[in-house]
Amino acid sequence: MRIFVFAMILFVSCTTPESVAQARDSEMEIQELVIQPKIISSTQAMEMMVGDVIILDVRTPEEFAGGHIENAVSVPLDTIQAGLDFLVPAIIPSKEHTILIYCHSGVRSNTAANIFANAGFMSVYDFGGIIDWEGDILN
């Protein structure tokens, strides 16, 4: 027990305010490098769809067949979770290309958007679920 107490005193005495500040600054720099997907409304997504974007429907193939947004590509979440290697360049031309992602209610789209962002995709937008979509749905 005495060795443990001595080790703790030694550790605390070696920690300077400067070293704590440096560690905090390094942590903040790392956090700034992490790309975060942007959460937008379905209205904002609809406005973006007039441009050169990829619209990903991450629901199951059965859900997609039951109705989807025009020009959407079906890529189920479990496929994305298995790996993104096939998507570039087969579906997504580059990591800089704008990607709009939706699912049924917004849970799977959030998961997928985070996977893309963590993989280095620069322009990832999660617009939630098709249940909130105010535009046309193709059957």
Side-chain angles (χ1 to χ4, degrees):
M1 182 68 173
R2 290 182 187 173
I3 294 173
F4 175 75
V5 172
F6 176 74
M8 290 303 294
I9 292 170
L10 183 62
F11 174 75
V12 171
S13 66
C14 291
T15 305
T16 65
E18 292 82 17
S19 65
V20 171
Q22 286 175 342
R24 190 177 310 120
D25 290 344
S26 295
E27 183 179 329
M28 288 172 45
E29 287 174 16
I30 291 169
Q31 288 176 351
E32 290 173 6
L33 295 175
V34 175
I35 300 167
Q36 295 294 319
K38 296 152 195 79
I39 298 173
I40 59 173
S41 69
S42 61
T43 304
Q44 291 170 306
M46 193 179 298
E47 292 169 0
M48 292 176 71
M49 288 179 189
V50 297
D52 184 24
V53 299
I54 304 295
I55 306 163
L56 293 183
D57 183 324
V58 298
R59 300 175 300 153
T60 66
E62 296 78 20
E63 289 174 299
F64 184 83
H68 59 273
I69 296 170
E70 185 176 4
N71 298 320
V73 178
S74 176
V75 183
L77 178 60
D78 59 351
T79 302
I80 293 167
Q81 290 172 322
L84 299 176
D85 295 340
F86 78 96
L87 290 172
V88 180
I91 297 173
I92 302 170
S94 72
K95 288 190 173 187
E96 289 77 30
H97 207 84
T98 300
I99 305 168
L100 303 174
I101 303 174
Y102 75 96
C103 62
H104 176 74
S105 64
V107 175
R108 288 174 283 180
S109 63
N110 182 268
T111 301
N114 280 295
I115 291 170
F116 278 99
N118 288 326
F121 288 80
M122 305 298 290
S123 189
V124 180
Y125 297 87
D126 171 9
F127 67 98
I130 197 167
I131 60 173
D132 297 321
W133 183 249
E134 295 178 10
D136 294 333
I137 296 176
L138 304 178
N139 290 321

